[in-house]
């Protein structure tokens, strides 16, 4: 099952954590794993469903020692709910979890890191299909491809 792309963007997380929502952190994963590297989807890899207003993606998984765009450093599941409603508070809570887990993988706190981070989230449609997975990933701030793993890079 391909991960559904809810959000693929750069977020500069603010200095004060906004833990308005309690997110249960669960390390259960589906097809993507911590430490995997992937490229941004090309137009051919993006499948748009205008009727359902969704974008399904096929992220090309790449060896981390070859040029790639992103590296997964943490994965967790959102708590079960009848409906997925991506609010600013929920998004901030997901980003807070990713920021908290950044240092353990990269080796330096996010605020002091050269690299950026973002999240892949469920969509309303994938939520109905049981998708609860949030993927935290890191990347070069200028969108440049890198040819080395970010694990314990300490930058």
């Amino acid at each position: 099952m391909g991960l559904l792309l809810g959000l693929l963007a750069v977020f500069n997380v603010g200095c004060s954590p906004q833990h308005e929502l309690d997110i249960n952190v669960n390390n259960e994963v589906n097809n993507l794993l911590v430490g995997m590297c992937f490229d941004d989807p090309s137009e051919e890899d993006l499948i748009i469903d205008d009727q359902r207003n969704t974008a399904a993606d096929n992220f090309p998984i790449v060896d981390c020692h070859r040029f790639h765009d992103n590296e997964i450093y943490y994965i967790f599941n959102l708590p079960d709910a009848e409906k997925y409603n991506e609010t600013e508070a929920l998004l901030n809570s997901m980003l807070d979890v990713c920021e908290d887990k950044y240092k353990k993988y990269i080796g330096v706190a996010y605020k002091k890191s050269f690299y950026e981070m973002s999240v892949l989230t469920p969509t309303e449609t994938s939520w109905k299909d049981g998708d609860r997975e949030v993927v935290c990933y890191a990347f070069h701030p200028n969108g440049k491809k890198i040819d080395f793993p970010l694990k314990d890079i300490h930058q």
Side-chain angles (χ1 to χ4, degrees), residues 73 98-106 108 110 113 115:
Y73 68 89
C98 290
E99 183 177 355
D100 290 344
K101 301 300 180 180
Y102 190 90
K103 182 177 182 177
K104 183 175 181 182
Y105 188 86
I106 303 296
V108 65
Y110 173 66
S113 178
Y115 296 95

Side-chain angles (χ1 to χ4, degrees), residues 5-32:
L5 176 63
L7 184 62
L8 180 58
V10 178
F11 288 94
N12 292 318
V13 181
C15 293
S16 59
Q18 297 182 13
H19 292 286
E20 294 174 27
L21 300 175
D22 233 0
I23 293 180
N24 273 337
V25 175
N26 179 340
N27 291 321
E28 179 184 328
V29 296
N30 292 326
N31 294 331
L32 297 176

